[in-house]
Amino acid sequence: MLRPSGAEEAAQLPSRRARAPVPAPAPRLTALDGSRASARLSLACLLLLLLLTLPARVDTSWWYIGALGARVICDNIPGLVSRQRQLCQRYPDIMRSVGEGAREWIRECQHQFRHHRWNCTTLDRDHTVFGRVMLRSSREAAFVYAISSAGVVHAITRACSQGELSVCSCDPYTRGRHHDQRGDFDWGGCSDNIHYGVRFAKAFVDAKEKRLKDARALMNLHNNRCGRTAVRRFLKLECKCHGVSGSCTLRTCWRALSDFRRTGDYLRRRYDGAVQVTATQDGVNFTAARQGYRRATRTDLVYFDNSPDYCVLDKAAVAATLDSSAPECRRGFWCTRDMT
């Protein structure tokens, strides 16, 4: 025997109640009232589900990949925009190199600022990696974006040449005969594929900034490009001699990456000479922040805001966070006094 539908049960409800020995009849529930109540309940359940499943708004970044190690699961990495997630899903082996590069550039950042009040401190199990300090468009943010971009280029380029990636290998463009101050030589060996490293790093690292298209994104894109250029700047020429008794009558040469420390030292100098700028009204370029300041070049790091003191406690920042018990200079909150 088939059970009656919800509407039939609602229609039968009044007659069943009439036969029940109750002192007073209960209010009648019509099918329309039941439908409205069911709709309201469904809507409330849906809203509750959205609140439970949607993450809170946090300023996260692909930098957190470095904390995941080999456990890179693209759908579980917070802070990735759709383009970055697509690249992550398509090239999982490259993502492992990106994670290695993230750990390397964070170590280099901490080395470069080891004697500073802000020493590139990271927050454990925090998806923002550096906390609120990166929200300010300061010199430190400019350096972090530059060296993070450089770290991705360096890691992917190295992985290509070492045969760790299926999509790239040695540089296919360095072929034929060439010359330098020592004379002619033949390209040979395995030149590091800087072209692929730069191309992938640009596509992956810049994806979020290209989506936002605001003044801070313009600053980040500029500093990202400075980081990529810095790695290319320190490519070195390595050669092997051929000839009788080891003479260098013939040479075979290839391009090789320098140690990442050279890139870190260079960007540290760029940090010291960073240029304070403001975005132009059209939002596509920079101008000097004050009259008499020099204009920024393509190799300069740029920033908008003065660096905070990184030592004086900012009570407003403490009040704005749920966890106000930790020392804020270690937690990454900026402070009240700006450095002049």
Side-chain angles (χ1 to χ4, degrees), residues 118-271:
W118 179 78
N119 56 3
C120 206
T121 302
T122 58
L123 308 180
D124 293 338
R125 296 180 298 278
D126 191 313
H127 295 163
T128 64
V129 182
F130 296 100
R132 291 167 55 93
V133 68
M134 289 296 112
L135 295 178
R136 190 159 185 161
S137 304
S138 62
R139 290 173 184 258
E140 289 72 32
F143 179 86
V144 166
Y145 276 83
I147 200 167
S148 64
S149 180
V152 173
V153 173
H154 196 274
I156 294 177
T157 301
R158 180 178 55 202
C160 286
S161 302
Q162 292 178 351
E164 298 174 358
L165 305 177
S166 59
V167 293
C168 61
S169 57
C170 303
D171 185 358
Y173 302 106
T174 51
R175 295 289 182 267
R177 197 162 184 81
H178 200 66
H179 67 277
D180 61 2
Q181 64 274 16
R182 296 177 58 187
D184 294 338
F185 62 87
D186 293 319
W187 286 117
C190 181
S191 289
D192 283 327
N193 196 346
I194 189 72
H195 306 286
Y196 189 87
V198 168
R199 189 165 66 248
F200 190 93
K202 182 178 181 181
F204 182 78
V205 176
D206 287 0
K208 183 176 182 179
E209 316 307 330
K210 289 182 177 179
R211 181 181 178 182
L212 296 175
K213 296 181 179 179
D214 56 14
R216 176 59 188 267
L218 184 66
M219 168 187 156
N220 294 343
L221 286 171
H222 176 94
N223 293 320
N224 287 347
R225 183 175 61 246
C226 288
R228 293 192 296 268
T229 304
V231 180
R232 191 189 294 272
R233 181 186 185 93
F234 293 107
L235 282 175
K236 58 185 178 182
L237 189 68
E238 294 185 351
C239 298
K240 183 178 181 180
C241 291
H242 309 277
V244 179
S245 300
S247 64
C248 263
T249 55
L250 297 173
R251 287 186 301 150
T252 300
C253 301
W254 56 92
R255 287 195 179 102
L257 289 170
S258 295
D259 187 81
F260 194 60
R261 177 57 46 80
R262 294 193 66 186
T263 301
D265 290 341
Y266 171 79
L267 291 176
R268 178 65 176 76
R269 293 193 296 272
R270 296 286 90 188
Y271 163 87

Side-chain angles (χ1 to χ4, degrees), residues 2 15 62-63 81-82 115 182 199 201 211-212 215 247 255 264 338 340:
L2 296 176
S15 61
W62 63 267
W63 300 335
V81 297
S82 57
H115 300 309
R182 296 177 58 187
R199 189 165 66 248
R211 181 181 178 182
L212 296 175
S247 64
R255 287 195 179 102
D338 287 343
T340 57

